[in-house]
Amino acid sequence: MVKPIIQTELNFPLRLLRWSLPDELRECVCGDLLEEHGERTKNEPNGNAGYWLWSQCLRTFMVFGFKTKRGFVMRILGFIIIFFVIWFVSVLTGGMQNYINIPSFIVVLGFTFGGLLATGVSQKNMWRVALSREVDNVLLNDALQAWISARHYLLASGFVGTILGIVSILANMDDPKMLGAALSVALLTALYGVFLAYGVCMPIQKNIEQKLMS
Amino acid sequence: LNEKFLGEFEQMVLLSIIRLGSNAYGTTIRQVLAETIRRDVSIGALYTTLERLERKGFLVGELGEASRERGGRAKKYFSLTGEGEQSLKRSRDAMNKLWQGVHIRSGVLNYG
């Protein structure tokens, strides 16, 4: 006789589900699923119990996740849509490799990083606040100013890259090979700057503002 | 006059709880629904309905014992209140009245 698997620790789908459930339902819903999963493991040894558990957890997550963790779920959904649109457009226009330009990355990240250092912004606090739940208001205010500065520097870096690219084009008008590379830097730096400023910094900034207001 | 009637799934859940008696909790209610009417509902959809019925005062929930099979987590037993029973009877009476005079002839529903 096959012994039922007694599972006391929560695996990933159950942990995800537990996180999305309201406090009063956490114990009973997880307990119900563990109990039925144990019975199914005993009766269906071909592995269907695992699929059943995943299906139950995801279906239940869809019911409660949008209610209890609406802000977080919407933020993740927003990021997915942003990345999907960029990926889709890049595929339609010749592939992702056309949009990868190392000099442009260096200009954007180098200018922003340098700018933040020069203005004395604490980058450690920026990430601590973005990734942690329990932080005080002083730290939140510091981080908010830092993320606003980062957004401004990213937009400015796009502008700087465009200027550098145009100067390089004008200086190499006789060399057609250099024109393409310089034009790439000019346009892609602006794209990276705008993408990081509005696709990454803005959502984090809004999240911190919401934390401060609550 | 403005009595509110229970939805189809709410009636099914309440009837399952009556069938189960003192052993009505999430897993067993789900199993009764699956075995009796072949409706495989997610535990989330079930608890949403149970919570709604509890809020309306048709059900009471009570935490029970924890067991090893449940990873040490407590069960939540449900039972009908008087108001829940009345509401269920009212819904059944309403359906019975509407069905009166409706016949199936050659697989087609007809009135009269």
Side-chain angles (χ1 to χ4, degrees), chain A residues 32, chain B residues 13-30 32 46-47 50 59-62 75-80:
Chain A
D32 284 348
Chain B
V13 170
L14 291 177
L15 287 166
S16 303
I17 293 171
I18 292 173
R19 277 167 166 256
L20 286 160
S22 60
N23 193 34
Y25 63 98
T27 305
T28 52
I29 298 169
R30 232 187 66 78
V32 165
L46 177 62
Y47 269 96
L50 288 169
L59 280 180
V60 279
E62 198 181 333
K75 290 173 184 172
K76 189 175 184 184
Y77 289 107
F78 293 94
S79 57
L80 262 72

Side-chain angles (χ1 to χ4, degrees), chain B residues 1-94:
Chain B
L1 278 173
N2 281 325
E3 288 170 339
K4 286 195 175 170
F5 295 102
L6 293 164
E8 183 198 51
F9 188 60
E10 288 176 333
Q11 291 182 49
M12 289 174 179
V13 170
L14 291 177
L15 287 166
S16 303
I17 293 171
I18 292 173
R19 277 167 166 256
L20 286 160
S22 60
N23 193 34
Y25 63 98
T27 305
T28 52
I29 298 169
R30 232 187 66 78
Q31 284 168 349
V32 165
L33 289 170
E35 285 162 15
T36 319
I37 55 164
R38 299 198 175 281
R39 190 152 170 182
D40 180 28
V41 289
S42 76
I43 198 88
L46 177 62
Y47 269 96
T48 308
T49 305
L50 288 169
E51 277 223 302
R52 188 171 59 246
L53 290 168
E54 204 178 352
R55 262 201 318 275
K56 286 179 182 173
F58 297 160
L59 280 180
V60 279
E62 198 181 333
L63 283 179
E65 79 279 13
S67 66
R68 196 162 155 252
E69 287 78 13
R70 301 173 58 84
R73 289 168 178 84
K75 290 173 184 172
K76 189 175 184 184
Y77 289 107
F78 293 94
S79 57
L80 262 72
T81 59
E83 211 177 327
E85 283 181 16
Q86 286 301 318
S87 182
L88 197 55
K89 282 180 202 159
R90 203 164 50 232
S91 295
R92 195 180 106 144
D93 290 344

Side-chain angles (χ1 to χ4, degrees), chain A residues 35-137:
Chain A
E35 183 184 334
E36 199 167 344
H37 178 248
E39 283 173 22
R40 283 174 180 263
T41 310
K42 185 174 69 174
N43 300 327
E44 300 166 24
N46 52 2
N48 284 345
Y51 291 114
W52 175 84
L53 187 67
W54 265 100
S55 151
Q56 282 291 324
C57 288
L58 289 178
R59 283 161 72 189
T60 306
F61 179 81
M62 295 301 281
V63 173
F64 289 105
F66 283 98
K67 289 179 192 164
T68 57
K69 306 287 177 194
R70 190 176 175 79
F72 183 82
V73 172
M74 288 301 166
R75 210 166 293 131
I76 295 294
L77 202 64
F79 280 124
I80 290 172
I81 291 171
I82 289 171
F83 281 103
F84 178 77
V85 166
I86 288 177
W87 171 80
F88 188 65
V89 171
S90 72
V91 167
L92 285 181
T93 52
M96 200 70 191
Q97 69 276 7
N98 292 344
Y99 292 85
I100 295 172
N101 188 285
I102 303 297
S104 299
F105 266 121
I106 293 170
V107 171
V108 170
L109 296 182
F111 188 85
T112 306
F113 182 68
L116 290 175
L117 277 182
T119 46
V121 168
S122 165
Q123 291 172 41
K124 192 178 155 193
N125 283 349
M126 284 172 75
W127 295 108
R128 245 175 79 188
V129 167
L131 301 171
S132 165
R133 276 185 192 179
E134 288 169 14
V135 278
D136 58 56
N137 276 7

Side-chain angles (χ1 to χ4, degrees), chain A residues 74-83 86 127 147 150-151 154-155 190-207:
Chain A
M74 288 301 166
R75 210 166 293 131
I76 295 294
L77 202 64
F79 280 124
I80 290 172
I81 291 171
I82 289 171
F83 281 103
I86 288 177
W127 295 108
W147 281 104
R151 191 161 60 82
L154 283 167
L155 288 172
L191 176 72
Y192 294 162
V194 170
F195 170 70
L196 291 172
Y198 286 102
V200 178
C201 288
M202 186 69 114
I204 296 174
Q205 180 194 324
K206 291 289 168 197
N207 182 25

